[in-house]
Amino acid sequence: MASQGSKYYCLQYKYVADIMEKRGPHRDAHLGAAKKKEEAGKLLIAGASGDPVNGGLFIFKNASKEEIEEFVKTDPYTKAGLISSWDLQPFNAVVGTEISSS
């Protein structure tokens, strides 16, 4: 079971249809922002989803809703208009190595 203090959120991005053509100039900064959250212990895993790519998925741990909303607002992909929509939901993690080691 997850420790009592652990709180998880799932952030899902929906990308614009031509994301692969448009993301290049913004990708390093986008990944850098995610790496900062990872280094701070707030982001467990993140990556693109779909084949072809049509979205992104992030699993945050012990980050506040407001902190994640600020991450979205300042994400270079958001600023460049590459995110057509996003959704943030609490995530009830019950199985996995992260859970058993918490």
Side-chain angles (χ1 to χ4, degrees), residues 31-51:
L31 295 175
K35 286 181 188 288
K36 284 182 182 176
K37 290 295 182 194
E38 178 194 23
E39 290 166 359
K42 305 268 181 144
L43 181 60
L44 296 179
I45 192 167
S49 59
D51 184 19

Side-chain angles (χ1 to χ4, degrees), residues 51-71:
D51 184 19
V53 171
N54 61 14
L57 179 68
F58 304 75
I59 303 295
F60 287 89
K61 178 182 178 184
N62 294 331
S64 70
K65 181 179 179 184
E66 294 77 18
E67 183 178 2
I68 299 166
E69 289 171 343
E70 183 66 18
F71 172 83

Side-chain angles (χ1 to χ4, degrees), residues 14 20 24 29 34 38 40-41 46 60-61 83 85-86 91 94 97-98:
K14 294 289 184 194
M20 298 304 285
E38 178 194 23
F60 287 89
K61 178 182 178 184
I83 310 297
S85 66
W86 59 276
F91 180 72
V94 294
T97 55
E98 168 64 26

Side-chain angles (χ1 to χ4, degrees), residues 3-54:
S3 63
Q4 295 288 43
S6 296
K7 180 157 179 102
Y8 298 88
Y9 279 98
C10 178
L11 170 64
Q12 290 185 287
Y13 280 170
K14 294 289 184 194
Y15 293 146
V16 295
D18 50 357
I19 183 69
M20 298 304 285
E21 292 79 28
K22 291 185 172 180
R23 73 180 184 177
H26 314 284
R27 191 161 192 255
D28 285 345
H30 166 75
L31 295 175
K35 286 181 188 288
K36 284 182 182 176
K37 290 295 182 194
E38 178 194 23
E39 290 166 359
K42 305 268 181 144
L43 181 60
L44 296 179
I45 192 167
S49 59
D51 184 19
V53 171
N54 61 14

